[in-house]
Amino acid sequence: MTKKTETFDEVLENRNKSIYYKLHKAKQEIGKVTKGSNNPFFKSKYADLNSLIDAVEPILHKYDLILLQPIING
C-alpha cells in the first residue's frame, strides 16, 4: 500500500479547514473587548455579554465558526 503524498497547496487547503486553525485565526483578531458597563458594588468596569457577542460574532462568522449558548437545567 502506497501513501499518497500531498502537494503544498493541498496541505495549505486542508490546514485552513481545521477548526483549530480557524479558532487560532479568530482569536488573533478578536483582541480586547471594551469594558463599557459599571459594577457599583466593586467600583469596577466590565464587558457585558452583549458587548462580548458584538465584538466576537462577526469574526467567528468570518471563519465559519459559531458561538453557542447552551441552556443547562433550564
Side-chain angles (χ1 to χ4, degrees), residues 67-73:
L67 174 64
L68 299 175
Q69 295 175 294
I71 299 172
I72 299 171
N73 298 328

Side-chain angles (χ1 to χ4, degrees), residues 7-19:
T7 66
F8 182 72
D9 290 333
E10 289 172 331
V11 170
L12 286 179
E13 183 179 339
N14 290 335
R15 185 184 83 174
N16 292 344
K17 292 178 184 176
S18 161
I19 191 166

